[in-house]
Amino acid sequence: MGENDEIELRREVRRIADRRRRDRLRCPRCGRVVAETVREAREACLRAGTWHEADDYVIMCPECKAREDAEEECARRVALEDRRAALASAAKEPVPHVEGPLPETIAIGVETTGLRGWRDHIFTVGICDGEGAEVACFKVCPPPECYEWPEAEEVNGIAPADTVTWPAIEDVRPELQRILDAADVVIGYNVGLDIEFLRGAGVALPDCEYVDVMAMFAPVFGLRDDYHGGWRWQTLATAAAYVGHDRDAEGAHNALADCRAALAVLRWLEEHEGEEVDRREQGARRAAAWRRLDAVEAAKL
């Protein structure tokens, strides 16, 4: 590359940088200049809570921002009314009722619209006994104001239309409460999060032993979490792959499948309790687990 070519390339780079800087100072909807400097644009962006996907600051003029907010509010109201109408006209599925004696040891799995117990809602609650036999699987329709959950839908495939005929938590709660009240041991993977959602749904948690398989598995997997000063927690998919349990045979992100996967991990931990850790075997198991997970993801593409 000649000297002139190098100079021209640098000029082009500067032109691109200047154009991107000018774009950050204009409203993306109407093109009007809304800031004189990048610093001013940054401060306005932080106040407005807007952020571009490419990490560029994007601000809107007050008129366009007000128009966008009004459009979003209108869309929200329409979606909410549609959801309420669909729920009002749908015939609800019956709530499962468990006959006979209830198990004292249960595994529980909860699928939700998100990961925040204080604002997200329950989809399904799966319960198995200590051997993995199904006790009950409750479907729960989120309340009308929860009319979409795009991130959760991408993961578990449960769309708002799928839940229209499901019973409300008020109808499910008595039978769910009866099963929990009979339990002496409750097993789960990140069981604390399940408890948070159940408590948020108005379920009274029994005074019994709670076994968190995720906390038990973390030191066995053996990756340190230097930020929090402990062992790095792993997903249920990783734990199941590590112990050789085929969680996807029943369908991942299925409440009952999650119960059985948690039990499989717990059984493996109990079988290997007290054994001296072979670092080489541990590393080979981790690598094999990651390969299994990569193969599952590749099969979905």
Side-chain angles (χ1 to χ4, degrees):
M1 180 183 293
E3 184 177 349
N4 291 336
D5 293 336
E6 242 181 86
I7 293 174
E8 185 57 35
L9 179 59
R10 289 175 184 172
R11 286 175 179 170
E12 180 62 22
V13 169
R14 281 198 297 270
R15 282 196 293 269
I16 293 173
D18 289 341
R19 186 169 63 248
R20 294 185 67 189
R21 181 182 61 81
R22 288 193 301 271
D23 289 343
R24 292 204 300 265
L25 305 180
R26 294 180 179 275
C27 173
R29 295 189 67 165
C30 68
R32 191 174 73 183
V33 176
V34 291
E36 296 297 330
T37 65
V38 172
R39 181 175 181 177
E40 185 182 335
R42 181 186 299 115
E43 292 173 352
C45 171
L46 294 174
R47 286 196 302 271
T50 54
W51 189 267
H52 193 264
E53 292 180 355
D55 290 340
D56 285 335
Y57 300 102
V58 172
I59 54 177
M60 281 187 263
C61 66
E63 293 80 6
C64 289
K65 185 70 169 68
R67 191 178 302 116
E68 183 179 83
D69 290 344
E71 291 170 356
E72 290 179 355
E73 178 61 20
C74 180
R76 187 193 70 80
R77 288 180 180 176
V78 170
L80 180 57
E81 289 303 318
D82 289 346
R83 177 72 173 171
R84 284 174 173 164
L87 293 177
S89 61
K92 299 297 182 180
E93 298 177 16
V95 177
H97 180 75
V98 182
E99 303 290 345
L102 297 172
E104 296 179 354
T105 298
I106 61 173
I108 192 165
V110 177
E111 288 293 322
T112 63
T113 62
L115 298 176
R116 295 156 296 191
W118 53 273
R119 61 167 291 180
D120 293 315
H121 302 277
I122 292 174
F123 279 139
T124 56
V125 181
I127 301 176
C128 294
D129 64 18
E131 302 302 317
E134 178 179 346
V135 175
C137 185
F138 299 100
K139 297 178 179 179
V140 182
C141 180
E145 58 269 18
C146 183
Y147 55 83
E148 62 178 358
W149 41 85
E151 293 180 4
E153 182 179 349
E154 187 175 346
V155 173
N156 54 42
I158 300 175
D162 299 332
T163 67
V164 169
T165 60
W166 295 358
I169 186 63
E170 293 78 14
D171 301 319
V172 171
R173 193 186 296 127
E175 184 67 7
L176 176 57
Q177 187 72 65
R178 189 173 73 90
I179 297 172
L180 287 171
D181 287 343
D184 292 329
V185 179
V186 176
I187 302 166
Y189 200 87
N190 194 7
V191 73
L193 186 62
D194 295 337
I195 289 172
E196 182 181 352
F197 273 97
L198 291 171
R199 186 178 287 118
V203 178
L205 278 303
D207 183 14
C208 64
E209 179 185 357
Y210 293 91
V211 179
D212 188 356
V213 182
M214 183 173 72
M216 297 170 63
F217 176 74
V220 173
F221 197 75
L223 291 182
R224 297 292 301 181
D225 185 349
D226 295 331
Y227 182 79
H228 294 97
W231 297 105
R232 190 181 305 171
W233 290 353
Q234 304 298 321
T235 65
L236 179 56
T238 301
Y242 186 89
V243 304
H245 176 76
D246 188 4
R247 175 171 172 251
D248 291 285
E250 296 183 80
H253 302 289
N254 172 292
L256 288 173
D258 288 353
C259 292
R260 295 186 178 113
L263 287 171
V265 176
L266 179 61
R267 282 194 292 266
W268 189 93
L269 293 173
E270 291 173 343
E271 289 171 4
H272 295 79
E273 185 178 7
E275 293 182 2
E276 185 176 349
V277 176
D278 185 323
R279 298 299 181 188
R280 183 173 298 179
E281 180 185 353
Q282 184 185 53
R285 278 188 167 275
R286 282 202 299 255
W290 287 327
R291 284 197 298 271
R292 290 191 190 101
L293 294 177
D294 289 342
V296 170
E297 290 300 317
K300 294 177 182 177
L301 299 177

